[in-house]
């Protein structure tokens, strides 16, 4: 019964937007009359979708209501173990956003660095490749010419350049298909479904983490670059679902704590927003707390992702401001995106 309840909860967003797969409608209609919690959530979601859709006439700019259209057109996120679910959702969301463009869309719009939309998707092919190879999947593009032993940041940049150069000779549709198929391969891999396999560690991007955490890193990057593309095209890209967002926050805090090291001034970091709040003690845990820092989860993730400068992050600081600013500056320095 609990499994059925959780499965239905996962489908409510698609139900509210009219995007259920054939056969799932009956599961919703059978479950809602006997479950007050799901019925309340279903009404809230449907009201939200109606609000987002607005009146039936198109807005003055002619821009589509992207979020509701994306719900209808996106492929459903593949079912995985919890550690891979944020990546599955991020892939589905980005696929929906790219589907808005079509073959004649604004693929040449500048996004980040010197990349346009087409290049950014090509970058994601290169970015996902190390985990794909780690899991025994075949490369989707010509093999890397980057020499073994190259420092990871240099290797990362060189491989991105190679893949972008290759994909520029292909159509955006071909590039998207390559990225989508590689992502599908990752999500179909045994490690995306088996917690024991996901607990095994691997060194990717210069850091040793459980494979499950590397799936979260992939989710982080897919969402951030989807947000990059959305901003470039003036299209709304919502943050990850609340449970997924907090998975990314917890991963980011672990990586930040490692980067700060045990000798850093002791700072109490609180991340609080929708879904609750959690406090971590960073730096020298044997010393007294020198500063307290409070951040929003989305802002914190965008800081870690290099999309918010430390000086522009809304935050609450008390105590030693220099210790708090050290945490913010170190967090921003971690970005490789």
């Amino acid at each position: 019964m609990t499994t059925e309840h959780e499965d239905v909860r996962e489908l409510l967003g698609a139900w509210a937007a009219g995007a259920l797969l054939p056969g799932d409608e009956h599961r919703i209609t059978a479950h809602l009359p006997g479950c007050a919690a799901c019925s309340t959530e279903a009404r809230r979601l449907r009201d939200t979708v109606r609000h987002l859709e607005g009146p039936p006439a198109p807005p003055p700019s002619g821009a589509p209501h992207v979020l509701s259209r994306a719900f209808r057109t996106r492929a459903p996120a593949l079912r995985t173990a919890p550690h891979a679910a944020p990546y599955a959702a991020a892939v589905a969301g980005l696929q929906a956003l790219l589907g808005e463009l079509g073959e004649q869309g604004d693929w040449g719009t500048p996004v980040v660095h010197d990349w346009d939309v087409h290049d950014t998707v090509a970058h994601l092919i290169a970015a996902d490749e190390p985990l794909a190879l780690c899991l025994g999947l075949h490369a989707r593009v010509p093999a890397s010419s980057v020499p073994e032993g190259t420092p990871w940041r240099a290797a990362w940049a060189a491989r991105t350049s190679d893949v972008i150069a290759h994909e520029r000779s292909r159509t955006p549709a071909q590039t998207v298909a390559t990225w989508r198929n590689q992502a599908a391969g990752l999500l179909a891999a045994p490690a995306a479904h088996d917690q024991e396999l996901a607990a095994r560690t691997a060194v990717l991007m210069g850091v040793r983490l459980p494979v499950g955490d590397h799936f979260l890193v992939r989710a982080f990057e897919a969402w951030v670059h989807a947000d990059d593309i959305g901003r470039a095209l003036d299209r709304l890209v919502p943050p990850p679902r609340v449970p997924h967002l907090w998975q990314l926050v917890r991963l980011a805090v672990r990586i930040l704590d490692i980067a700060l090291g045990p000798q850093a001034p002791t700072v109490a970091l609180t991340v609080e927003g929708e879904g609750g709040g959690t406090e971590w003690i960073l730096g020298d845990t044997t010393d007294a707390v020198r500063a307290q820092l409070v951040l929003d989860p989305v802002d914190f993730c965008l800081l870690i992702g290099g999309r918010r400068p430390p000086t522009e992050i809304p935050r609450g600081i008390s105590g030693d401001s220099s210790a708090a600013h050290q945490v913010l500056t170190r967090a921003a320095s971690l970005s490789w995106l």
Side-chain angles (χ1 to χ4, degrees), residues 186-201:
L186 284 169
L187 292 168
H193 302 266
D194 186 314
Q195 298 281 22
E196 184 174 341
L197 291 176
R200 298 176 181 177
T201 61

Side-chain angles (χ1 to χ4, degrees), residues 285-309:
T285 57
T286 66
D287 197 7
V289 171
R290 290 175 50 179
Q292 293 183 319
L293 178 62
V294 181
L295 299 174
D296 170 84
V298 173
D299 287 336
F300 175 63
C301 287
L302 292 175
L303 173 70
I304 291 282
R307 296 307 188 265
R308 294 284 190 277

